[in-house]
């Protein structure tokens, strides 16, 4: 038997119906998990009466609520009467995930990003406004254009 927890983090429950053909009368029973079983499982009721043959059977509920995902959860359930014993290996499965059905939506609340316009730099215009050479020039600080030309008459 395998149990899968529901995604709402509530306990997942599976119901067993035990029908006995061996007894004509109701029999007391105990239901428990063997030592070494995962503590994330529980059984209800832990004791009661198994209904006799020819009836609807006795309902026993097994619950599973994992505290941690990523590892295998197993438990061994034993249901005992004075004359019979039933053993069930129960596996806890991770919850099934459902991928989102809507497309991703990106919301940008910054008005700075939407209103900025990129202005192209005009390097030729900037270079024409320069009056001396730069620091990386071999002739540092020299005038680019001789402006004091003497006129000859």
């Amino acid at each position: 038997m395998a149990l899968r927890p529901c995604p709402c983090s509530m306990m997942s429950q599976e119901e067993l119906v035990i029908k006995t053909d061996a007894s004509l009368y109701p029999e007391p029973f105990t239901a428990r998990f063997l030592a070494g079983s995962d503590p994330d499982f529980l059984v209800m009721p832990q004791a009661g009466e198994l209904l006799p043959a020819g009836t609807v059977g006795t309902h026993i509920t097994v619950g599973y609520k994992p505290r941690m995902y990523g590892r295998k959860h197993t438990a061994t359930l034993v249901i005992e009467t004075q004359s019979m014993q039933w053993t069930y290996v129960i596996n806890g499965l991770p919850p099934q995930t459902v991928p989102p059905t809507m497309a991703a939506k990106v919301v940008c609340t910054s008005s700075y990003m939407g209103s900025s316009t990129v202005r192209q730099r005009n390097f030729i215009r900037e270079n024409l406004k320069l009056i001396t050479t730069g620091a990386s020039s071999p002739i540092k600080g020299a005038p680019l254009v001789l402006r004091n030309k003497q006129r000859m008459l």
Side-chain angles (χ1 to χ4, degrees), residues 13 21 46 51 68 70 88-89 94 115 121-122 125 127 146:
Q13 295 183 352
D21 293 333
Q46 293 182 349
L51 297 176
M68 176 177 54
Y88 298 91
V89 176
S115 65
R121 282 179 72 180
N122 189 340
R125 185 181 300 138
N127 288 341
L146 293 176

Side-chain angles (χ1 to χ4, degrees), residues 83-110:
S83 61
M84 294 283 294
Q85 176 178 327
W86 293 268
T87 305
Y88 298 91
V89 176
I90 300 172
N91 295 312
L93 300 176
Q96 275 187 321
T97 56
V98 179
T101 56
M102 294 179 53
K105 181 179 176 184
V106 178
V107 177
C108 181
T109 59
S110 174

Side-chain angles (χ1 to χ4, degrees), residues 1-104:
M1 174 189 305
L3 289 175
R4 188 179 303 275
C6 66
C8 57
S9 78
M10 295 178 66
M11 181 175 294
S12 176
Q13 295 183 352
E14 187 81 22
E15 198 166 283
L16 294 172
V17 178
I18 305 295
K19 290 186 178 184
T20 176
D21 293 333
S23 175
L24 298 174
Y25 305 103
E27 265 188 278
F29 77 92
T30 59
R32 62 183 172 85
F33 288 105
L34 289 181
S37 293
D38 208 308
D40 295 338
F41 294 93
L42 79 105
V43 62
M44 295 180 341
Q46 293 182 349
E49 226 175 46
L50 280 181
L51 297 176
T55 62
V56 293
T58 303
H59 293 266
I60 297 175
T61 303
V62 177
Y64 171 58
K65 184 175 181 182
R67 287 174 273 156
M68 176 177 54
Y69 296 115
R71 69 178 190 90
K72 188 175 179 181
H73 297 267
T74 58
T76 305
L77 174 66
V78 177
I79 300 172
E80 285 182 297
T81 65
Q82 287 184 356
S83 61
M84 294 283 294
Q85 176 178 327
W86 293 268
T87 305
Y88 298 91
V89 176
I90 300 172
N91 295 312
L93 300 176
Q96 275 187 321
T97 56
V98 179
T101 56
M102 294 179 53

